[in-house]
Amino acid sequence: MKTVLSAITVAVVALLSMTGASWAQRRAEPGTFDYYVLSLSWSPTHCAKNQGDADPDQCGVERKFGFIVHGLWPQYSNGGYPATCTRDRTVPRAVVDATMPVMPSVGLIVHQWTKHGTCSGLPVTDYFSQVRKAFAKVKIPEALQAPKPDLSIPATQVERLFVQANPGLEPESVALVCSKRDVAEVRLCLSKDLSFMPCGAKVVDRCRRDALLTAAP
């Protein structure tokens, strides 16, 4: 009897493993996702947090970026996202050059393509064209367009400024992410045609009540 039960257990585990593998493969199929998250990184927070390891293209002495594109991420409505859907790691130099003004780090560009872009279902050139279009669609509020020495804005006001500056953008389409008490990212939820839309599950604010956006965290 014990032998029979063991055999049944092994068979069930094997079946579950096969089912899980096929489900994971289906979920990771390029182009199979529900919407995008456009992640805008506040460069002063990123550079201060990564001192010593920061990319000089983004964080060098002469670089004074405000919001830059951290990524355009395919997402599932019920939470989670596909990642590294193919083994392609190649980003042509022309694509890098065209994207550097909005994503000023070669390492970041390659990483974003490998982890997120390969799941978009788009060729690399079209994916980064979509990245640039998404960024061009968003108007950065005037007060946040460049770091200023005296800049200090509560996180709740940052979200309000983005909503006010972008017709059609609702609070449900915006999520802020902080590093301790410093605003690090503004995440905007976009449909596949890059229209503003409510965020899906798990794309939520992650900031303390006393969080601020400043020029020099």
Side-chain angles (χ1 to χ4, degrees):
M1 181 62 130
K2 190 177 293 185
T3 302
V4 173
L5 288 174
S6 297
I8 292 173
T9 301
V10 170
V12 169
V13 169
L15 180 60
L16 289 174
S17 298
M18 292 173 60
T19 303
S22 62
W23 173 250
Q25 289 169 1
R26 185 175 73 82
R27 292 281 282 177
E29 182 180 350
T32 304
F33 64 97
D34 299 314
Y35 71 104
Y36 288 114
V37 165
L38 174 65
S39 171
L40 303 180
S41 172
W42 179 243
S43 197
T45 298
H46 167 78
C47 295
K49 181 181 177 183
N50 294 279
Q51 288 181 4
D53 295 322
D55 189 328
D57 284 334
Q58 180 178 349
C59 302
V61 176
E62 299 301 320
R63 305 294 186 181
K64 300 188 183 300
F65 293 102
F67 280 104
I68 60 104
V69 176
H70 180 68
L72 183 67
W73 305 333
Q75 298 281 308
Y76 300 128
S77 294
N78 61 354
Y81 56 88
T84 317
C85 293
T86 76
R87 295 181 180 179
D88 184 10
R89 297 177 58 84
T90 304
V91 182
R93 185 74 229 185
V95 174
V96 171
D97 291 343
T99 307
M100 283 288 283
V102 302
M103 189 184 285
S105 167
V106 176
L108 178 60
I109 289 171
V110 174
H111 173 73
Q112 290 299 314
W113 167 246
T114 302
K115 184 173 182 179
H116 299 286
T118 57
C119 296
S120 68
L122 300 172
V124 61
T125 300
D126 294 345
Y127 171 72
F128 282 103
S129 175
Q130 192 83 327
V131 169
R132 296 191 297 273
K133 287 177 184 176
F135 185 68
K137 176 184 178 62
V138 178
K139 178 176 175 53
I140 304 298
E142 185 175 349
L144 310 178
Q145 288 181 1
K148 299 172 183 146
D150 59 346
L151 186 65
S152 181
I153 299 178
T156 52
Q157 188 175 345
V158 171
E159 179 175 309
R160 191 178 306 117
L161 288 171
F162 267 89
V163 169
Q164 291 173 349
N166 291 275
L169 180 65
E170 300 292 337
E172 294 78 13
S173 301
V174 186
L176 267 62
V177 175
C178 293
S179 175
K180 296 183 179 178
R181 68 187 299 267
D182 301 308
V183 174
E185 292 180 50
V186 173
R187 296 179 178 179
L188 306 173
C189 297
L190 307 172
S191 65
K192 289 185 176 182
D193 67 2
L194 304 183
S195 300
F196 295 126
M197 62 170 283
C199 296
K202 298 184 181 179
V203 181
V204 296
D205 289 331
R206 298 177 184 175
C207 289
R208 294 164 30 167
R209 289 187 177 182
D210 60 349
L212 298 170
L213 182 143
T214 66

